Amino acid sequence: MLAALFFWQEAPIAHVLFIGLGNMGLPMAVNLVKAGHTVNGFDLSRVACDAAATRGIAIAADPVQAAATADAIITMVPSGKHVLDVYNSGVLESAPGHAVFIDCSTIDVATARDAHDLAEKCARLSLDCPVSGGVAGAEAAILTLMAGGTSQAFEAAKPILAAISKRLVHCGPSGSGQAAKICNNMILGISMIAVCEAFVLGEKLGLSHQALYDVASTSSGQCWALTSYCPVPGPLPASPANNGYKPGFAAALMLKDLKLAAASAEATGAGLTLGPKAAELFECFAQDGGASQDFSAIVEAIRSGSLA
Ligand code: NAD
């Protein structure tokens, strides 16, 4: 007992300013509070602020003022433009010299590097640190986080990010977290289409969903899109296919990530074919009314032949 007490160390408590309290940001902020951190939240939307207040987040009237006492400033906003809006708002100048800026949004690599440059000009630590795991992962504090930035910024952020993640990977210098995120989600977008095409072909060949699932889930066709997110009803009761394709992970978000990957492939001359094709297919699906459905609902468009 004495030995246990001797080795027990209290986790450091930080003051966190959390900007962007939407579907992802709010549960992440709530888990920081649960871990004992002092969290101030801010969002441009009054509705988001009111919802956050009901879950125990103290809303900051002025984010620039709130930054002055923050050890970490986390952003979780829709796009790169919003991240730069925040970074250009005065929060960088207001924050203490030791504070670390952590952007958890999914944005393009070039803008992520621009955000790092702004932080560096103010001599502030910064990380791009997008997340994987969706709203359910955010609620359960089991996100996978992928970070880009200096080791110093990574070490400063680590104890805080531990409260919201099951895995935190330092991927390399600035922009590397976003690079890992778009590569991972490109795998997911492509593999979901592959799994959907296999089920549609199986149907044409008279194969039951369960039979194909039982074979492919334990064979070389096994992948996350199949065994954690099966796009047809039946084999995996918890997948969105059994719930009218309610997201989950909306097709609009998958399209956003695939477009980021396709733009990066073009900018770097990577010469990809399947990633940009997946972006094209999800774009058609989204334009035909699928944007707010779960991304696995693309199986219905493949079955109808509307994407061929
Ligand atoms: P969301 O639209 O629900 O929330 C974003 C919030 O940011 C909104 O409430 C908006 O008012 C606020 N905001 C925008 N600009 C702001 C500013 N300048 N200052 C303060 N608040 C501002 O979006 P979300 O689903 O929470 O996603 C956030 C980010 O996380 C996106 O980049 C998304 O791609 C990424 N992401 C989402 C998921 C998911 O499943 N939803 C999964 C992984 C990553």
Side-chain angles (χ1 to χ4, degrees), residues 19-26 28 42-46 48-49 63 75-83 85-86 104-107 130-136 143 181 185 248-250 253 256-257 260:
I19 299 177
L21 300 166
N23 292 324
M24 292 294 287
L26 177 55
M28 291 162 71
F42 179 75
D43 196 293
L44 291 178
S45 146
R46 177 46 43 202
C49 288
T75 38
M76 193 53 166
V77 292
S79 73
K81 176 200 168 300
H82 301 106
V83 176
D85 285 349
V86 173
C104 290
S105 327
T106 301
I107 67 173
V131 314
S132 179
V135 175
L143 295 168
K181 170 74 184 178
N185 279 24
F249 186 51
L253 290 176
K256 170 191 164 184
D257 294 354
L260 290 175

Side-chain angles (χ1 to χ4, degrees), residues 72-212:
I73 296 87
I74 302 181
T75 38
M76 193 53 166
V77 292
S79 73
K81 176 200 168 300
H82 301 106
V83 176
L84 295 183
D85 285 349
V86 173
Y87 279 37
N88 281 314
S89 68
V91 288
L92 283 167
E93 293 80 355
S94 168
H98 71 272
V100 57
F101 282 75
I102 308 167
D103 177 39
C104 290
S105 327
T106 301
I107 67 173
D108 64 285
V109 174
T111 306
R113 289 184 178 141
D114 290 344
H116 279 279
D117 289 346
L118 288 172
E120 203 179 331
K121 277 193 193 118
C122 289
R124 298 292 180 271
L125 298 172
S126 62
L127 276 189
D128 54 290
C129 195
V131 314
S132 179
V135 175
E139 289 283 357
I142 54 165
L143 295 168
T144 293
L145 306 189
M146 45 221 100
T150 62
S151 300
Q152 199 190 349
F154 183 73
E155 290 305 322
K158 212 156 73 167
I160 297 162
L161 296 176
I164 57 171
S165 61
K166 67 165 196 287
R167 182 110 168 88
L168 170 59
V169 182
H170 188 194
C171 299
S174 63
S176 305
Q178 297 296 351
K181 170 74 184 178
I182 59 176
C183 290
N184 177 73
N185 279 24
M186 188 177 75
I187 296 173
L188 176 60
I190 294 170
S191 58
M192 179 54 81
I193 290 170
V195 170
C196 291
E197 289 202 343
F199 274 110
V200 168
L201 179 59
E203 289 165 7
K204 297 276 184 211
L205 295 171
L207 198 56
S208 75
H209 290 160
Q210 192 63 50
L212 178 55

Side-chain angles (χ1 to χ4, degrees), residues 199 208-214 226 230-239 242:
F199 274 110
S208 75
H209 290 160
Q210 192 63 50
L212 178 55
Y213 181 86
D214 288 346
L226 176 70
C230 186
V232 292
L236 212 61
S239 77
N242 300 284

